[in-house]
Amino acid sequence: MKLKLIFIIGLFLFQSKAKDDRSPIAIDIKVEREYEVTKSKDNYIFNFLDNNYLVEADSFKQKYFDISLTFKNTSDRQVEIWLMKCSFEDNLLVNNNYIFIKGHECDSNFPFPVKFKPGESKTYKLTLVKSIRFDYPCQYCVFGPQVEETKIGLIVIDDYYEPNYNILSYDLAMEDKSKWTIVWSNSLKLLGKQPEPIEIK
């Protein structure tokens, strides 16, 4: 009887901990617009040299995705997350190495806690850029399997319910990845068709 009681208490504590570990923030992303941008090769010559991209023309095309990103508080309490006032993309990351978040210029930029009432949502706009390595691969590049899905991760560095209002602590936490908690969005299929792998004999 005692063993059964201990098991039930242990199971209850485990379930409570598992519930507490879940993020109260849900992230939803969707593509609003997909397009190609033509760029001059001259402006990216050092990038081409570093990566051995084969661009024979004077220009190249790169794929862009305009994304809407929505944070929602799914809990019954107010929550707060740290974001940069202008470059909020600094608090985000991508789960693969061929999609990148396009930054933008900022006049006034500093970290601040964004508050979400219970059930409240906030939507942000950002642009994702696809690497040209699949369209202009180097001569001896070998492509193995790629991560097929693209997800956006929110870097959480503080307590959702009782944040530490200290900008110096924010800077230190952003430099220490071991202190990060990552909340991932739903997935998008942005990989597209890839070149056939090169067979090396």
Side-chain angles (χ1 to χ4, degrees), residues 14 22 63 73 140 147 181 185 190:
F14 173 79
R22 289 184 299 183
K63 186 160 285 188
N73 178 5
Y140 300 106
V147 178
T181 298
S185 71
L190 304 181

Side-chain angles (χ1 to χ4, degrees), residues 53-54 61-62 96-100 130-138 141-148 190-196:
Y53 295 137
L54 293 179
K61 292 183 178 181
Q62 191 164 27
N96 59 56
N97 64 356
Y98 58 85
I99 295 291
F100 306 95
K130 185 179 178 183
S131 170
I132 65 170
R133 65 184 179 134
F134 300 119
D135 300 314
Y136 306 94
C138 59
C141 286
V142 178
F143 293 104
Q146 302 292 313
V147 178
E148 294 186 2
L190 304 181
L191 179 59
K193 186 178 180 180
Q194 305 170 64
E196 292 296 325

Side-chain angles (χ1 to χ4, degrees), residues 9-181:
I9 293 173
L11 184 62
F12 174 79
L13 292 174
F14 173 79
Q15 289 177 337
S16 298
K17 184 179 187 304
K19 184 177 181 181
D20 291 340
D21 286 344
R22 289 184 299 183
S23 170
I25 294 289
I27 305 174
D28 180 73
I29 57 173
K30 63 179 179 179
V31 177
E32 300 290 344
R33 188 166 70 111
E34 178 180 336
Y35 53 98
E36 287 186 336
V37 175
T38 301
K39 300 181 178 180
S40 171
K41 178 181 176 180
D42 293 339
N43 295 334
Y44 298 87
I45 190 66
F46 291 110
N47 185 276
F48 293 146
L49 293 174
D50 290 342
N51 295 283
N52 296 314
Y53 295 137
L54 293 179
V55 180
E56 298 177 355
D58 294 332
S59 62
F60 65 96
K61 292 183 178 181
Q62 191 164 27
K63 186 160 285 188
Y64 280 56
F65 305 89
D66 289 341
I67 301 292
S68 66
L69 180 147
T70 301
F71 300 123
K72 182 177 181 179
N73 178 5
T74 61
S75 75
D76 56 1
R77 296 173 58 187
Q78 177 172 286
V79 300
E80 301 181 33
I81 58 173
W82 282 95
L83 291 177
M84 294 298 290
K85 184 69 175 178
C86 176
S87 62
F88 66 91
E89 65 271 10
D90 292 349
N91 302 94
L92 305 173
L93 46 81
V94 181
N95 70 315
N96 59 56
N97 64 356
Y98 58 85
I99 295 291
F100 306 95
I101 299 174
K102 184 178 182 294
H104 60 278
E105 295 182 2
C106 294
D107 294 330
S108 178
N109 203 24
F110 53 88
F112 77 112
V114 180
K115 298 180 181 181
F116 292 80
K117 297 176 182 178
E120 183 179 11
S121 298
K122 296 181 189 292
T123 299
Y124 298 80
K125 304 292 183 181
L126 60 91
T127 299
L128 302 180
V129 183
K130 185 179 178 183
S131 170
I132 65 170
R133 65 184 179 134
F134 300 119
D135 300 314
Y136 306 94
C138 59
Q139 185 175 1
Y140 300 106
C141 286
V142 178
F143 293 104
Q146 302 292 313
V147 178
E148 294 186 2
E149 298 178 341
T150 294
K151 297 181 180 181
I152 302 295
L154 169 67
I155 301 171
V156 179
I157 59 165
D158 211 339
D159 186 275
Y160 292 104
Y161 305 107
E162 297 179 5
N164 176 17
Y165 293 104
N166 189 321
I167 292 179
L168 295 179
S169 297
Y170 167 89
D171 291 336
L172 187 60
M174 287 298 290
E175 292 177 2
D176 185 355
K177 295 181 181 179
S178 69
K179 298 186 181 301
W180 293 4
T181 298

